[in-house]
Amino acid sequence: MTIKFFNDSERLGRLVSLMLSGAGVTLSIFFLTLLFAIPLGMLVAQGRMSKRLPVRAPVSFYIYIMRSTPLMLQLMFIYFLLPMILPFRIDRFVAVVFAFSINYAAYFAEIFRSGITSIPLGQYEAAKVLGYTKVQTFFRIILPQVIKRVLLPMANEVITLIKDTALASTVAVVELMTIAKKQVSSSSSIEPYFVAIIMYLILNGIAEQLCKFAEKKLNYYR
Amino acid sequence: MLTAKDIYKGFDGLGVLDGISININKGEVVALIGPSGSGKSTLLRCISQLERVDSGTITLGGDVLCKTENGILKYSDEATQRKIMLRMGMVFQSYNLFPHMSVIQNLIDAPVRVKRESKKSATERALAILEKVGLSDKAAQYPYQLSGGQQQRVAIARALCMQPEILCFDEPTSALDPELTKEVLGVIRSLAKEHMTMLIVTHEMSFARNVADYIVFMEGGKIVEEGKPEQLFHSDNERTRRFIGES
Ligand SMILES: Nc1ncnc2c1ncn2[C@@H]1O[C@H](COP(=O)(O)OP(=O)(O)OP(=O)(O)O)[C@@H](O)[C@H]1O
Ligand SMILES: [Mg+2]
């Protein structure tokens, strides 16, 4: 295999800028998924912990499906299913963000649930006798403590998510992985893969640093 | 001021409170004693609305929390329940401070969020109360930085900061060693001197004897004997004598 990019700075520049645009799409999938999956996961966690069986049972089933089938399969399924049941065309990018969001919401929900159930009952009781409403108790007393407890498992999920975005290439969303594949096959050189590896490393390096920073921030109490 | 009458309460069909009546006058300190499993905590939790009674009547001042007429239990509406809740304070055996808040935040958060008091006036009162429990220098610390005795004194201060008319304690010192127990009991004693109305579940017999105006001895969900400390400590009742003797 011959070197085609690394000895031609102009060609390399074009490749990198092309792949950077792909990385932008990767980041969009990433941030949009977090944006939807975190609040949705919170809701799902509440539903999963509901005392009412008609709420708890379907929510548990949903979590079961999401965690027990491959994300790639879910992605394809949604990509082909949505156009069949919706009266309008949807963008493949939207389908991907939708699939990622509902999948990650299920994982987040389980993390939130274990975080919430690990808060001692005494915290709820103390809040209750002080007159906090249920909503105030959740947002003022419980949630801040849950955030600290879920930070580490959430950081793991975030890193997995960055890598999972590559699955979007299976439905031809033009993100980092898709571009890398195309460039490799059109140039018969694996250099684009190298560039992709470095870009994923940088993205995850930044994500890891942000998580460490958040962890430090929350270190003021135990 | 606080009256609980004919309280019955069971868990899963197992009776825990078996017709308990208790009355606390304003400015009075009542100690609740009895062996483990006798239902002391359950009674306190029914009064402070952490549990619901199966039957009985509870009133605070003029407000009715629940009443039972012709065998039918009826709880007041949410607003009244809440009003009563805000007039009572509770101190737990395990402190239950909010770990993510500093001492001063623990004290002022409820006055500010729940009672919509200004931060300034809540802080002023909180600092005065901290001074009273001997923790002025700990306002900015976090609970994990404090000893058990200090945490419990913060918990007492937090309850006081809501300006309750009556303060309930569930074994406030039983997680503490003797030295720390002394400092917490000292705080409760000084509250008694200021005629704070208190209902205290305790295993500290000499404390009950010296500080309480009235002692209730219960066992198996029933009151065995009640009266002034001198009466119980020189009781004719065989069971009372044995319990106090063993403690
Ligand atoms: N939430 C609950 N569910 C089931 N049973 C309970 C519950 N809370 C208390 N009990 C039972 O009720 C009985 C009385 O308990 P309670 O905690 O009121 O006793 P206590 O007098 O406070 O004892 P201790 O001195 O050990 O604190 C016990 O037999 C206990 O097992
Ligand atoms: Mg108890």
Side-chain angles (χ1 to χ4, degrees):
Chain A
M1 196 169 275
T2 50
I3 292 181
K4 294 190 172 152
F5 293 95
F6 291 165
N7 56 4
D8 179 345
S9 63
E10 201 183 311
R11 207 169 163 197
L12 180 64
R14 258 184 285 130
L15 174 70
V16 168
S17 86
L18 189 64
M19 291 186 68
L20 275 179
S21 76
V25 176
T26 292
L27 277 179
S28 313
I29 298 171
F30 171 75
F31 280 118
L32 287 172
T33 300
L34 285 187
L35 182 72
F36 295 122
I38 289 175
L40 183 60
M42 207 96 86
L43 271 176
V44 172
Q46 299 288 351
R48 176 69 182 74
M49 293 184 294
S50 171
K51 286 194 194 88
R52 271 165 291 196
L53 190 68
V55 177
R56 197 175 62 237
V59 170
S60 305
F61 189 59
Y62 153 74
I63 294 175
Y64 172 63
I65 294 176
M66 289 297 142
R67 301 210 307 168
S68 312
T69 57
L71 176 53
M72 190 193 280
L73 180 58
Q74 291 168 23
L75 197 61
M76 309 278 249
F77 193 72
I78 284 166
Y79 179 65
F80 290 113
L81 177 79
L82 281 185
M84 283 190 233
I85 54 175
L86 289 177
F88 48 87
R89 273 182 53 86
I90 66 157
D91 191 68
R92 51 185 77 217
F93 178 80
V94 175
V96 163
V97 169
F98 180 79
F100 273 81
S101 297
I102 62 170
N103 176 275
Y104 270 79
Y107 283 94
F108 289 171
E110 287 298 274
I111 292 174
F112 294 152
R113 182 169 71 98
S114 80
I116 290 170
T117 50
S118 75
I119 305 294
L121 201 61
Q123 293 288 306
Y124 292 90
E125 295 190 340
K128 184 168 185 202
V129 295
L130 285 168
Y132 287 89
T133 62
K134 283 217 167 84
V135 173
Q136 282 176 324
T137 302
F138 183 73
F139 285 102
R140 298 277 318 157
I141 312 299
I142 306 304
L143 189 59
Q145 299 183 56
V146 170
I147 289 173
K148 187 181 166 94
R149 290 175 194 222
V150 303
L151 200 62
L152 215 65
M154 283 299 279
N156 289 333
E157 289 299 318
V158 162
I159 286 168
T160 308
L161 173 57
I162 291 183
K163 293 181 288 180
D164 275 354
T165 54
L167 287 174
S169 67
T170 55
V171 294
V173 166
V174 191
E175 45 68 72
L176 187 49
M177 189 65 203
T178 311
I179 293 177
K181 269 200 284 196
K182 252 193 213 137
Q183 289 299 313
V184 164
S185 66
S186 67
S187 69
S188 351
S189 154
I190 58 161
E191 287 151 283
Y193 282 153
F194 272 113
V195 177
I197 286 173
I198 290 180
M199 287 186 176
Y200 281 116
L201 284 178
I202 291 173
L203 290 181
N204 262 329
I206 294 172
E208 215 164 303
Q209 288 311 311
L210 286 177
C211 290
K212 277 218 181 95
F213 176 74
E215 209 183 325
K216 254 204 198 120
K217 270 266 170 207
L218 288 175
N219 237 347
Y220 69 90
Y221 74 92
R222 260 174 240 152
Chain B
M1 184 169 85
L2 176 87
T3 308
K5 204 164 153 279
D6 300 327
I7 304 297
Y8 287 83
K9 166 76 182 170
F11 290 106
D12 317 313
L14 239 82
V16 171
L17 298 179
D18 194 12
I20 293 258
S21 296
I22 185 171
N23 178 54
I24 300 160
N25 298 318
K26 194 166 159 41
E28 207 175 50
V29 179
V30 173
L32 198 52
I33 62 172
S36 187
S38 55
K40 308 181 294 294
S41 296
T42 305
L43 177 60
L44 216 60
R45 292 169 61 82
C46 287
I47 289 171
S48 53
Q49 301 185 47
L50 292 173
E51 302 282 358
R52 295 214 148 200
V53 303
D54 293 340
S55 135
T57 300
I58 297 175
T59 59
L60 178 66
D63 292 319
V64 179
L65 172 61
C66 61
K67 64 179 170 194
T68 304
E69 280 169 345
N70 307 323
I72 295 164
L73 169 72
K74 205 167 151 274
Y75 263 87
S76 299
D77 55 281
E78 296 262 337
T80 312
Q81 288 181 28
R82 197 173 151 72
K83 188 174 154 209
I84 293 174
M85 182 94 76
L86 288 176
R87 292 169 60 191
M88 309 209 313
M90 175 90 175
V91 175
F92 302 87
Q93 180 181 338
S94 50
Y95 334 129
N96 297 344
L97 293 176
F98 303 134
H100 58 302
M101 295 184 188
S102 67
V103 166
I104 191 80
Q105 285 171 323
N106 263 283
L107 265 62
I108 66 168
D109 199 69
V112 171
R113 301 280 158 178
V114 175
K115 284 189 165 176
R116 303 262 157 234
E117 198 180 333
S118 82
K119 210 169 167 177
K120 186 164 168 289
S121 84
T123 306
E124 275 168 21
R125 189 172 61 255
L127 290 173
I129 292 171
L130 275 183
E131 170 118 49
K132 211 157 75 177
V133 301
L135 293 172
S136 309
D137 54 332
K138 302 290 184 201
Q141 306 259 33
Y142 283 83
Y144 80 92
Q145 297 170 307
L146 305 177
S147 73
Q150 289 169 336
Q151 288 191 47
Q152 191 59 296
R153 284 186 282 155
V154 173
I156 295 172
R158 178 175 69 178
L160 286 174
C161 216
M162 289 295 276
Q163 300 175 294
E165 292 165 42
I166 176 168
L167 204 46
C168 300
F169 296 80
D170 191 0
E171 301 192 29
T173 62
S174 54
L176 302 172
D177 62 38
E179 202 50 41
L180 301 180
T181 295
K182 248 204 298 199
E183 58 182 53
V184 171
L185 293 184
V187 167
I188 300 176
R189 200 184 301 258
S190 73
L191 291 174
K193 284 212 183 85
E194 293 167 25
H195 304 292
M196 179 82 209
T197 312
M198 292 186 280
L199 174 58
I200 307 174
V201 174
T202 185
H203 286 300
E204 301 284 335
M205 287 307 144
S206 68
F207 173 77
R209 182 176 194 168
N210 295 324
V211 177
D213 301 296
Y214 199 79
I215 297 182
V216 176
F217 169 44
M218 59 188 281
E219 182 168 41
K222 285 194 166 77
I223 292 177
V224 177
E225 189 176 1
E226 58 184 310
K228 297 230 177 280
E230 286 324 302
Q231 180 194 327
L232 267 87
F233 278 81
H234 300 106
S235 175
D236 300 329
N237 184 310
E238 168 67 18
R239 185 66 198 105
T240 309
R241 278 226 305 272
R242 193 149 28 97
F243 177 74
I244 288 176
E246 281 166 3
S247 301

